[in-house]
């Protein structure tokens, strides 16, 4: 009998808050189910966050904690945060006691702190999945009791015990490969011109203000391009104001605008170059697909980890990096120069593909099942 068949493993997966945490969590759960279909999986998330909708949509049960992040700019608000944390610890203890997991997995996000802290205290093995090149505060604290820490970048022994680290990469949506159309089909699907170089501009589901302002501030430059077209995801938060501005100023024929892209496999397949924030999930997708990219790290994240993510690629010649403060001035000219340089695109594609870890979810799932069966 194999290790994954000894008994029915019971697994808690905790975390969320953003797609960058939720997609890997669901990918790990799916990989566990492929290896061990009888496994019982329960998610624990934060009330009011996107995991409370996305996880059930993926077919898994989820329970919510009233946990919230600390407000560093308005410290007086943290009294309520501390009360929510205390209540979350109590609820996490109840959830863990009732479900009786064999292993608890933390993927980052508010809920993973209380859940894994409680699990560790109760003697349940824990596994952390650190997506960024600079470890977050919660994972650094939880690492002291974790049996295994799965990471996506070299050099993470700066933050974690070296003997517990496993370099797996970040799990990504397998649909990006399995559902990818040909480039020609993707361009037709998105109503784009097959005879032009294509730049895909994405800022996450809500959008990225600096990237959006870089486009709006360069409409004459965009309009002047005869060989380049732009497919721009504005994000739902900014879509109405951008639509109003484009209505007044006129939208260039080669600028195609969407508030949200539901068919990411087609968007990636159509793109010769991608402009993106530097979240761990986005970077892992770009690596998997071998997409040349210009990364614009968000400055509004903990420990400035997006800049560290981006530089980990830029230092290897695997991507270009533009600082948020410089983007309005330099991003569009750099993107146009890059997308029309076939040799540079090929070099970027070759180097970023070397960093891909296509089997990350399965590797992590195997470790989860090993811990569950101990």
């Amino acid at each position: 009998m194999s290790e994954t068949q000894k008994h029915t493993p019971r697994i808690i997966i905790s975390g969320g808050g953003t797609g960058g945490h939720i997609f890997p969590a669901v990918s790990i759960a799916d990989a566990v189910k492929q290896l061990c279909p009888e496994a019982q999986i329960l998610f624990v998330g934060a009330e009011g966050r996107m995991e409370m909708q996305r996880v059930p949509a993926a077919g898994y049960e989820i329970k919510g904690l009233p946990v919230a992040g600390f407000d560093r700019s308005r410290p007086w608000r943290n009294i309520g945060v501390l009360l929510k944390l205390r209540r979350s610890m109590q609820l996490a203890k109840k959830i863990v006691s009732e479900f009786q997991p064999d292993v608890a997995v933390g993927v980052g996000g508010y809920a993973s702190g209380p859940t894994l802290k409680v699990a560790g205290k109760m003697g349940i093995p824990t596994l952390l999945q650190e997506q960024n090149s600079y470890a977050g505060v919660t994972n650094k604290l939880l690492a002291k009791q974790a049996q295994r820490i799965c990471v996506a970048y070299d050099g993470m022994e700066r933050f974690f015990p070296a003997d517990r680290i496993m370099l797996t990469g970040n799990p990504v949506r397998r649909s990006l490969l399995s559902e990818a159309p040909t480039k020609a089909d993707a361009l037709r699907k998105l109503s784009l011109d097959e005879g032009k170089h294509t730049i895909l501009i994405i800022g996450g589901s809500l959008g990225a203000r600096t990237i959006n302002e870089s486009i709006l501030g360069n409409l004459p430059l965009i309009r002047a391009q005869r060989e380049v077209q732009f497919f721009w995801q504005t994000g739902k938060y900014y879509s109405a104001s951008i639509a109003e501005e484009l209505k007044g100023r006129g939208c260039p024929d080669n600028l195609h605008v969407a508030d949200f892209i539901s068919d990411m496999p087609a968007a990636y397949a159509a793109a010769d170059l991608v402009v993106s924030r530097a979240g761990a999930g986005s970077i892992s997708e770009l690596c998997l697909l071998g997409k040349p990219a210009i990364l614009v790290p968000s400055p509004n994240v903990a420990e400035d980890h997006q800049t560290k993510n981006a530089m980990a690629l830029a230092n290897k010649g695997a991507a270009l990096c533009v600082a948020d403060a410089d983007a309005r001035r330099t991003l569009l000219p750099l993107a146009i120069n890059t997308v029309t340089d076939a040799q540079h695109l090929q070099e970027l594609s070759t180097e970023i593909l070397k960093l891909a870890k296509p089997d990350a979810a399965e590797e992590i799932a195997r470790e989860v099942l090993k811990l569950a069966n101990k």
Side-chain angles (χ1 to χ4, degrees):
M1 187 179 284
S2 75
E3 278 213 292
T4 57
Q5 293 174 321
K6 284 181 183 173
H7 73 301
T8 301
R10 300 177 67 80
I11 299 157
I12 276 182
I13 301 177
S14 184
T18 66
H21 288 133
I22 297 163
F23 291 134
V26 171
S27 295
I28 293 167
D30 289 345
V32 166
K33 280 291 197 180
Q34 276 197 315
L35 292 170
C36 184
E38 68 273 20
Q40 299 295 305
I41 298 174
L42 174 67
F43 280 76
V44 180
E47 290 174 356
R49 306 291 287 190
M50 64 194 290
E51 60 263 28
M52 301 307 292
Q53 284 77 47
R54 293 285 179 89
V55 168
Y60 296 100
E61 182 186 356
I62 187 167
K63 294 187 181 292
L65 303 179
V67 65
F70 283 95
D71 192 329
R72 297 178 189 188
S73 59
R74 292 167 291 188
W76 63 89
R77 292 196 169 192
N78 289 327
I79 295 170
V81 173
L82 288 169
L83 291 173
K84 285 182 177 180
L85 180 60
R86 184 180 173 190
R87 175 69 181 139
S88 295
M89 293 292 287
Q90 293 168 342
L91 264 177
K93 187 173 183 180
K94 182 172 183 286
I95 291 166
V96 172
S97 297
E98 288 177 356
F99 187 71
Q100 294 191 322
D102 299 298
V103 61
V105 179
V107 297
Y110 300 141
S112 66
T115 308
L116 267 75
K117 185 78 175 168
V118 163
K121 279 186 175 179
M122 294 171 70
I124 294 159
T126 60
L127 178 146
L128 298 179
Q129 201 253 325
E130 174 55 64
Q131 292 146 18
N132 294 297
S133 62
Y134 192 91
V137 174
T138 302
N139 272 357
K140 280 191 275 190
L141 292 171
L142 293 172
K144 294 171 185 174
Q145 64 184 28
Q147 275 69 38
R148 180 68 76 214
I149 303 149
C150 296
V151 301
Y153 293 90
D154 293 318
M156 297 303 285
E157 57 275 3
R158 291 176 295 157
F159 310 108
F160 303 128
D163 60 333
R164 295 181 228 166
I165 292 173
M166 183 173 179
L167 181 63
T168 58
N170 286 324
V172 297
R173 293 172 280 185
R174 300 299 296 180
S175 61
L176 292 175
L177 285 176
S178 62
E179 298 173 14
T182 64
K183 184 177 181 181
D185 285 345
L187 289 165
R188 281 193 291 272
K189 202 172 189 181
L190 301 172
S191 301
L192 296 171
D193 190 332
E194 289 185 51
K196 292 183 177 177
H197 305 291
T198 304
I199 300 175
L200 172 65
I201 302 156
I202 48 178
S205 56
L206 295 178
R209 186 177 69 181
T210 301
I211 293 177
N212 288 342
E213 289 176 355
S214 302
I215 307 304
L216 288 173
N218 284 278
L219 291 181
L221 178 63
I222 290 170
R223 194 175 275 113
Q225 302 308 308
R226 298 192 181 280
E227 297 178 5
V228 182
Q229 61 191 339
F230 304 80
F231 189 44
W232 175 26
Q233 181 212 30
T234 63
K236 294 188 175 182
Y237 184 80
Y238 299 98
S239 61
S241 62
I242 287 172
E244 193 66 29
E245 184 154 355
L246 289 173
K247 189 177 174 185
R249 296 172 61 187
C251 183
D253 293 340
N254 60 338
L255 179 61
H256 304 260
V257 186
D259 64 341
F260 179 75
I261 300 172
S262 56
D263 192 347
M264 280 307 296
Y268 278 134
D272 298 301
L273 176 70
V274 180
V275 173
S276 173
R277 286 300 199 192
S282 298
I283 286 178
S284 296
E285 291 179 353
L286 294 167
C287 291
L288 183 71
L289 297 168
K291 282 290 164 185
I294 300 176
L295 303 172
V296 186
S298 171
N300 308 311
V301 293
E303 286 98 20
D304 195 26
H305 68 249
Q306 285 204 6
T307 296
K308 298 174 178 78
N309 289 350
M311 292 313 298
L313 271 70
N315 290 338
K316 294 179 178 177
L320 301 175
C321 181
V322 172
D324 190 83
D326 299 332
R328 293 168 186 83
R329 180 173 50 85
T330 65
L331 177 59
L332 257 292
L334 177 63
I336 291 164
N337 287 337
T338 305
V339 82
T340 53
D341 183 341
Q343 185 178 338
H344 196 185
L345 286 179
Q346 185 57 56
E347 289 166 359
L348 289 169
S349 179
T350 299
E351 292 307 313
I352 200 169
L353 202 52
K354 289 177 183 176
L355 304 178
K357 299 277 186 183
D359 301 318
E362 187 177 326
E363 282 191 50
I364 295 168
R366 288 189 186 283
E367 288 303 305
V368 170
L369 290 169
K370 274 186 199 172
L371 289 174
N373 284 312
K374 276 187 178 178

